[in-house]
Amino acid sequence: MEILWFLIALGMLFGVLGPYVLRRRSGGIRQVAPGSPDAADPEAYGFLREEEQDVRLPGPDRDLLDVLDVVQATQDWRAASQLLKGTEKEGETRWQRVQAFAGAASLELAERPGVGGAWLRSWRAEAPKDPGGAQVYAEFLVQQAWRSSTAGSQDFRVILEEAGAACEQAALLSPGDPVPYISELAVARGLAYPHERFDLLWAKIIDRAPEHMGAHLAALHYWCGKWHGSREEADRFATSAAARAPRGSLLAALPLFAVFENRPELVLGDFHRTAVVTKAVEGALYAVHSARPDDPMLAHVRHLLVHFLMGAERWNEAMALLVRVDGYVGALPWTLHEDPAAAYTAHRNLVVAGFEASGGSPATLPR
């Protein structure tokens, strides 16, 4: 049995890396020893080393990182509260900041059980009517359920039920804010809301923020076949959102996320060059090129595009995106790995090798 699992694992590794490592045609990628004169050097392109990659965020948010540093150093929640008070309700940034604060508290608690995340407990105790604190606490419970217990277990359900109640309380404290309802989408997925109940929840979000990319990504999980929908329902949800998206909206990239969620367990052959994948990639590239440069969801789309462009050996386009995302790796597909920074840098280095094998160099790097 052990040899069977070994062979399966070996096959999966070959399926992912084989097309690149074994392609020895003229212009293809060749394996060389580290330090060889022919070895690609990512640092020649200004890329950061693995240990310098920030796994907390998909892209830069200096205000958030500065406040996180202050909160974690002093265990005083007031700076976090002030930052959220100055962050607009309907935008993507508020949702990302709530997630980041909740994630920081959750990781602190995991590292120091019973002690970590004390600043969030103080926030809720000292300012129970602060909308920001209520939202962070609700999202914290959601993340705790998914991180600390097995989906479907009794503990999982108990924590998610508490999270659902916390989402309701947060919504009452901040009328018009979609964030508590977006947090509840993960509760709906974990507790298997019937479609009718999920639709009612989704309507509350759409009424408040119809073009919210983060909300659409959270809802997409629910409609996938591995949860409470199917491949067809997930595709329909994504393509419908993309079709009604105005110019400049990153919702045009949603079908690419649906392809990623519905990808086969073992990717072999020319999957990344199929018509379905190519169409989704082109839609995402269009979304990236037409989006506002300061759209906080832009980094999410760029990271996933790197993954698919690498698979299709579109090295120049992948490199053009890498120079914009390097340094922050808190996004799909890297966050699915135990070590996101290691996963990202391994794939990035492969793109660099492919770029150089096709004639690229630091001097010709697309900017």
Side-chain angles (χ1 to χ4, degrees):
M1 180 61 72
E2 290 182 1
I3 188 64
L4 176 59
W5 284 116
F6 172 77
L7 291 173
I8 292 173
L10 188 63
M12 293 179 69
L13 181 64
F14 179 82
V16 174
L17 298 180
Y20 313 113
V21 175
L22 298 183
R23 186 169 282 104
R24 299 184 179 275
R25 300 189 302 267
S26 174
I29 301 173
R30 295 179 297 107
Q31 283 185 300
V32 295
S36 163
D38 292 329
D41 181 9
E43 291 189 35
Y45 296 85
F47 292 139
L48 299 181
R49 295 189 298 272
E50 178 182 322
E51 60 272 19
E52 296 174 305
Q53 303 294 331
D54 195 319
V55 301
R56 296 172 294 179
L57 297 173
D61 184 343
R62 194 67 259 165
D63 290 340
L64 171 62
L65 293 176
D66 288 344
V67 168
L68 263 177
D69 289 342
V70 169
V71 169
Q72 294 186 306
T74 65
Q75 291 295 295
D76 189 336
W77 53 269
R78 289 173 179 80
S81 176
Q82 196 62 36
L83 181 64
L84 289 181
K85 284 177 181 175
T87 307
E88 65 172 344
K89 291 181 179 179
E90 297 79 10
E92 307 279 354
T93 300
R94 185 178 183 85
W95 168 233
Q96 291 198 16
R97 288 175 173 175
V98 166
Q99 284 184 298
F101 285 130
S106 180
L107 289 174
E108 278 186 39
L109 186 59
E111 292 169 358
R112 293 178 292 140
V115 178
W119 56 269
L120 179 54
R121 293 192 291 276
S122 298
W123 191 354
R124 293 298 294 133
E126 297 169 20
K129 294 186 178 180
D130 184 340
Q135 291 175 8
V136 172
Y137 180 66
E139 176 62 20
F140 165 79
L141 289 174
V142 168
Q143 294 193 26
Q144 277 296 100
W146 289 95
R147 279 191 175 129
S148 64
S149 54
T150 303
S153 68
Q154 182 63 23
D155 287 348
F156 179 77
R157 294 190 62 84
V158 167
I159 300 173
L160 278 188
E161 286 169 359
E162 185 180 352
C167 289
E168 290 181 16
Q169 184 179 10
L172 290 174
L173 290 172
S174 185
D177 193 331
V179 166
Y181 300 108
I182 300 174
S183 289
E184 192 181 348
L185 290 172
V187 177
R189 177 160 53 99
L191 295 183
Y193 281 16
H195 288 185
E196 296 77 10
R197 184 179 177 185
F198 184 88
D199 288 340
L200 291 174
L201 171 60
W202 183 242
K204 294 176 182 177
I205 296 170
I206 292 300
D207 285 346
R208 290 161 175 80
E211 296 171 27
H212 201 291
M213 181 68 171
H216 280 80
L217 291 176
L220 179 63
H221 289 299
Y222 176 91
W223 290 114
C224 287
K226 58 188 173 184
W227 289 106
H228 310 298
S230 64
R231 178 187 298 272
E232 293 73 24
E233 287 173 303
D235 287 342
R236 184 162 54 248
F237 175 79
T239 54
S240 296
R244 63 174 181 269
R247 179 176 175 79
S249 169
L250 286 170
L251 287 176
L254 199 61
L256 185 65
F257 286 85
V259 168
F260 182 75
E261 290 297 326
N262 289 319
R263 68 195 184 283
E265 290 290 331
L266 183 59
V267 177
L268 295 172
D270 288 332
F271 168 77
H272 292 96
R273 292 191 180 89
T274 60
V276 171
V277 174
T278 300
K279 182 179 179 181
V281 166
E282 295 305 325
L285 285 170
Y286 166 81
V288 164
H289 293 149
S290 59
R292 298 189 334 266
D294 62 345
D295 191 315
M297 293 300 292
L298 194 52
H300 284 278
V301 182
R302 283 172 170 159
H303 276 289
L304 194 61
L305 269 170
V306 167
H307 170 78
F308 279 97
L309 291 170
M310 184 194 79
E313 298 181 42
R314 294 167 64 169
W315 309 118
N316 281 27
E317 292 165 286
M319 284 291 285
L321 294 174
L322 279 172
V323 298
R324 296 182 180 277
V325 301
D326 194 72
Y328 297 90
V329 297
L332 288 175
W334 327 121
T335 50
L336 295 179
H337 298 266
E338 185 174 345
D339 187 340
Y344 164 78
T345 51
H347 285 77
R348 182 199 65 190
N349 296 352
L350 187 56
V351 172
V352 172
F355 177 67
E356 292 189 352
S358 60
S361 70
T364 63
L365 179 64
R367 297 282 182 180

